[in-house]
Amino acid sequence: MLKITISKQALKVLQKMQPKQARRIRDVIKLIAENPARDDLDIKKMVNMDAYRVRIACVSASIG
């Protein structure tokens, strides 16, 4: 299992989001932690950064 660290700023944003959207993001983060090589998620490495981004339906979130 992959260890994912979420910044304080990201947690604040999640807390202010609509519950349904925040839940979707948390669910995808859990899926990535379980298996980071998933083919069914739109995961891409960000240019010039040690981070990845994930597209979740109409919500876009960055991790890393």
Side-chain angles (χ1 to χ4, degrees):
M1 182 177 269
L2 183 67
K3 180 181 177 183
I4 297 177
T5 304
I6 301 174
S7 68
K8 289 181 183 180
Q9 182 182 7
L11 285 174
K12 284 183 181 181
V13 171
L14 278 173
Q15 291 171 347
K16 292 180 182 180
M17 280 186 171
Q18 294 178 4
K20 186 176 179 179
Q21 289 179 335
R23 189 175 332 110
R24 291 178 75 185
I25 291 172
R26 284 191 210 102
D27 290 346
V28 170
I29 291 171
K30 288 177 188 176
L31 290 173
I32 294 168
E34 291 170 5
N35 181 7
R38 294 180 67 100
D39 291 334
D40 59 333
L41 298 175
D42 186 9
I43 303 170
K44 293 187 180 179
K45 181 151 177 36
M46 296 177 74
V47 179
N48 299 325
M49 296 179 74
D50 188 25
Y52 293 82
R53 71 112 177 107
V54 179
R55 287 189 187 239
I56 305 169
C58 64
V59 178
S60 183
S62 295
I63 59 172

